[in-house]
Amino acid sequence: MAEQKDDPGQAAKLAQSKRAIQTGGAAETFTAQNGTAQDRVAEDDRSGSRTGTADKTSATVVRRKQRYLIGFRSLPGIASLPSDPFLERLAQMDGVEITRRLKGGGLQASGMTPIAGAPPTAAREVVVAHMDEQRGEMLRQNAPPHVIVEVDAPLYSDMAVAEPMSWQHSVQVMPFPRARREIRFRILGEGERPLANAVVNLYGPGFPAQAITDSSGQASLQTHAVEGSGIHAVYVRPAADHWERYIQNPSFEPGQVNVIRLNPLDHTSGSFPGERSYSWGQRIMKFDRVPVDWNGAGSKIGIIDSGCDTSHPLLRHIVRGVDFTRDKDPQSWKSDELGQGTHCAGIIAASATASSGIVGGAPGSELHIFKVVPGGHFSDLIDALDQCIERRLDIVQIGVTGERFSELVAQKITEARLNGVACIAGAGNSGGAVQFPGNVPGVMTVSAVGKLGEYPQDTRHAQRALPQLIAFSGIYATNFSGWGPQVGLCAPGVAIVSSVPGGGYAAWDGCSMAASHIAGFSALLLSHHPMLQSINFGARADQRVSILYDFLRAAAIPYAQVDPNRVGAGLPDLQQVPGLLPSNQPFYGGGIGAGTVLGTPQPPFTHPANPMNAILQLRAAGLWV
């Protein structure tokens, strides 16, 4: 901006460039405007080479070029063309490097018959281009109405934060260097076994600090605190098979190895040997009340997340995947550095074996893994959604978030829904407004709830409840879950035990865990509900997705006296789905809000034998929109 003020002719050049872009002369004007700047950069480089030839290992830190997405929006009355001259001009601009072209995939690319009302895919090419921010912003502001120019922003895993919600307020800037002291830990598990790869966090003034235990279970952290005073909490998160530990106002022995013992994770819940095991979340959603052979067979589910460790004994049946962070590598999707993709895959489709401690909600479903984090961008999410359309998936769980809204991603989500793909996403774990893409119309956005008594009290799980939103049943809204009018449903998302990389199990929190419950729930409906299996509603179109979402909302048990922005329509119950269970199968009402006990028997309601009659009854009662 300073250069623009110093140059008296800069304003005129900017105005000229705007007029040129609007009339189709973008390439020529950008070249003319930036030629002088490029000459200066080249001169600086030559100067640097003369003065710094002796230092071959150093590099000057400069601002990197920004990644941009350039695509097209659908406008009423404007026909899409197979190609657009704007992209041709863009490729000729100096300083603009097109690094990737997304062909759009979709129905026409796969040779399928387009669905009536679906947006055309022939002109849906999206390109990724690198350029400096000034040039990119100018291009964005002056692009034609049908052109979208936006930052190709990074994607982030939607994992719940592990630290206390208020630690940021405790951080104090150190005005001068102070001596740092070492605090040593040793983390032990069942049978005094040292636990490797456990994450140890310290919270207090001037930090948090973090370390990971070695093979002997030991870790050292540096702190400014005097003999441990001023440390607010220590939090230990094991790699697998043990409960985490959260100790407030801990006392440390100076010069000693401070031992923290973790309790083993009992991930079995069957009452008898060989009995099928269900998590607390599955039980409260009544996965244990449907026929045991209802396993979601025939449904196809995509997980857009961090990959999946298919060497886990319960996930070896997952054989389809692609890694978008490594140029669509056909094998590296099986490596899950973050663990969330593996955890969500277990919630949805962990295989039911006699020796397994958990079982997925839809173990018979066909899972497709799309790895986009760590290191992915919006362009990778668009590419993954295109794959979901091409593979004719029924459901896709989006387990990643972005820090900004993307119109091109939103447009691709709309295209997926029009092609019969139900997109399910968590509300985000920021504790604030619903995060992208949960705020995109057409997405079923899920917030996380917890239940008292399902975890030890000395864990971070016990810190998740909003005290004013705890029902008599023990169900509560969480302090980390995103909230807002976009929330459609809530589901279990605290202390959810599932598979993690390496073959073990862990209890994690997050809205992605909640969304996984809804994905498994949806798979059962698509596979076993007579209406969704019928010829009309079984067709791959937006109508089927709408009916599925309506069934989810109709089956939800709402909170009483709780803002629906927190929990949406409520927590779905398989016994409440109209027309799902036999006509002699009653369901029991009963809200889970204040003053109501979950599962309290109410006058039974028998589902009509004809599912359409059930919908007509709901519409008459104002419960079906």
Side-chain angles (χ1 to χ4, degrees):
M1 297 300 294
E3 292 183 358
Q4 295 177 9
K5 293 180 180 179
D6 294 340
D7 185 357
Q10 188 72 8
K13 294 178 181 179
L14 287 174
Q16 180 185 2
S17 67
K18 292 182 180 180
R19 290 192 298 270
I21 294 177
Q22 293 169 350
T23 58
E28 293 81 357
T29 305
F30 267 110
T31 303
Q33 178 184 345
N34 291 276
T36 304
Q38 292 169 359
D39 293 341
R40 288 198 299 267
V41 171
E43 180 63 29
D44 290 342
D45 291 341
R46 290 191 294 270
S47 175
S49 64
R50 291 193 298 268
T51 58
T53 53
D55 189 358
K56 299 297 184 181
T57 62
S58 64
T60 302
V61 178
V62 297
R63 295 193 67 172
R64 66 177 181 272
K65 287 188 174 182
Q66 184 66 273
R67 294 171 58 112
Y68 286 89
L69 281 171
I70 297 94
F72 305 95
R73 63 171 56 94
S74 299
L75 295 177
I78 298 180
S80 298
L81 301 175
S83 62
D84 192 282
F86 186 88
L87 290 183
E88 298 176 7
R89 295 193 298 271
L90 182 71
Q92 298 172 2
M93 292 183 187
D94 291 335
V96 176
E97 179 186 6
I98 295 179
T99 60
R100 186 178 181 187
R101 292 179 180 270
L102 306 177
K103 294 300 183 182
L107 296 178
Q108 295 183 8
S110 59
M112 296 166 54
T113 302
I115 294 173
T121 59
R124 291 295 178 185
E125 183 181 48
V126 176
V127 302
V128 180
H130 286 67
M131 66 189 83
D132 63 74
E133 291 188 43
Q134 182 180 3
R135 188 188 303 255
E137 181 62 18
M138 189 180 304
L139 189 67
R140 186 189 66 81
Q141 292 181 4
N142 298 282
H146 70 290
V147 176
I148 302 171
V149 179
E150 60 185 28
V151 174
D152 188 16
L155 294 170
Y156 301 98
S157 174
D158 187 28
M159 297 185 70
V161 291
E163 65 272 7
M165 292 294 122
S166 60
W167 76 261
Q168 295 95 333
H169 304 296
S170 302
V171 175
Q172 299 175 3
V173 178
M174 295 299 171
F176 53 86
R178 291 180 53 181
R180 297 172 64 85
R181 293 172 173 81
E182 182 183 60
I183 299 180
R184 293 183 292 165
F185 292 93
R186 191 173 189 216
I187 311 302
L188 301 178
E190 186 177 16
E192 298 293 293
R193 176 170 61 92
L195 297 181
N197 298 318
V199 181
V200 183
N201 296 273
L202 287 180
Y203 303 105
F207 50 92
Q210 185 182 93
I212 299 177
T213 58
D214 58 20
S215 59
S216 66
Q218 297 195 53
S220 298
L221 294 93
Q222 300 291 325
T223 174
H224 295 291
V226 180
E227 297 183 357
S229 63
I231 295 178
H232 298 167
V234 58
Y235 170 67
V236 181
R237 181 173 180 172
D241 300 328
H242 290 78
W243 286 105
E244 60 182 40
R245 188 89 183 272
Y246 177 68
I247 305 173
Q248 292 180 298
N249 300 317
S251 175
F252 301 122
E253 292 293 334
Q256 301 290 323
V257 176
N258 298 274
V259 177
I260 298 179
R261 293 176 172 83
L262 305 184
N263 295 320
L265 182 67
D266 183 11
H267 55 266
T268 60
S269 59
S271 303
F272 303 99
E275 181 183 5
R276 190 169 179 176
S277 180
Y278 293 94
S279 67
W280 76 264
Q282 291 171 327
R283 293 194 305 272
I284 207 168
M285 296 177 73
K286 307 299 174 57
F287 280 86
D288 58 337
R289 302 294 181 88
V290 299
V292 70
D293 59 343
W294 284 23
N295 60 8
S299 61
K300 299 166 69 173
I301 305 174
I303 300 179
I304 301 178
D305 211 304
S306 59
C308 179
D309 180 9
T310 57
S311 68
H312 195 288
L314 303 187
L315 304 177
R316 290 172 181 166
H317 59 292
I318 302 174
V319 296
R320 299 169 180 85
V322 60
D323 185 354
F324 290 94
T325 68
R326 297 188 180 180
D327 198 23
K328 297 186 179 181
D329 189 295
Q331 296 297 325
S332 56
W333 62 270
K334 300 176 183 178
S335 174
D336 185 0
E337 299 91 340
L338 303 179
Q340 180 172 280
T342 304
H343 199 271
C344 291
I347 296 172
I348 296 173
S351 61
T353 63
S355 59
S356 67
I358 66 170
V359 62
S365 61
E366 179 182 297
L367 249 63
H368 296 243
I369 306 299
F370 304 104
K371 182 175 180 178
V372 297
V373 289
H377 295 77
F378 282 159
S379 54
D380 299 300
L381 180 52
I382 292 173
D383 214 350
L385 289 167
D386 259 328
Q387 286 280 320
C388 293
I389 298 172
E390 289 188 27
R391 299 184 186 205
R392 299 175 64 93
L393 301 190
D394 302 299
I395 303 163
V396 57
Q397 179 188 329
I398 306 175
V400 293
T401 62
E403 293 182 342
R404 63 178 72 201
F405 190 91
S406 168
E407 185 179 352
L408 287 170
V409 172
Q411 197 164 262
K412 184 58 63 177
I413 288 174
T414 300
E415 182 182 339
R417 173 164 175 164
L418 290 172
N419 291 318
V421 182
C423 296
I424 300 173
N429 299 308
S430 67
V434 170
Q435 293 180 285
F436 182 84
N439 55 5
V440 174
V443 172
M444 177 55 71
T445 304
V446 187
S447 65
V449 295
K451 186 175 185 294
L452 300 178
E454 297 295 339
Y455 40 76
Q457 287 302 302
D458 60 348
T459 63
R460 279 293 296 143
H461 309 305
Q463 309 293 320
R464 301 301 197 185
L466 288 170
Q468 69 275 24
L469 299 180
I470 301 177
F472 287 172
S473 61
I475 302 293
Y476 58 79
T478 59
N479 53 16
F480 65 82
S481 181
W483 59 280
Q486 302 92 347
V487 173
L489 300 167
C490 64
V494 176
I496 305 302
V497 178
S498 185
S499 49
V500 291
Y505 304 88
W508 287 359
D509 307 337
C511 288
S512 284
M513 287 78 225
S516 297
H517 281 84
I518 299 300
F521 194 105
S522 300
L524 293 187
L525 297 188
L526 289 172
S527 298
H528 304 290
H529 198 289
M531 178 176 291
L532 291 170
Q533 285 288 301
S534 67
I535 296 177
N536 292 335
F537 297 113
R540 302 192 55 79
D542 175 57
Q543 185 181 24
R544 186 179 70 150
V545 177
S546 298
I547 293 293
L548 172 63
Y549 287 175
D550 285 339
F551 276 132
L552 290 172
R553 285 188 286 263
I557 302 176
Y559 271 85
Q561 302 176 357
V562 174
D563 186 354
N565 288 330
R566 292 281 184 183
V567 297
L571 183 64
D573 183 325
L574 279 167
Q575 290 185 309
Q576 303 274 26
V577 179
L580 177 64
L581 297 175
S583 59
N584 61 350
Q585 175 68 52
F587 75 88
Y588 297 100
I592 53 178
T596 307
V597 180
L598 183 67
T600 301
Q602 302 292 325
F605 170 85
T606 303
H607 296 300
N610 187 340
M612 184 57 70
N613 290 340
I615 293 180
L616 293 176
Q617 288 186 13
L618 289 170
R619 283 178 174 164
L623 300 176
W624 193 284
V625 179

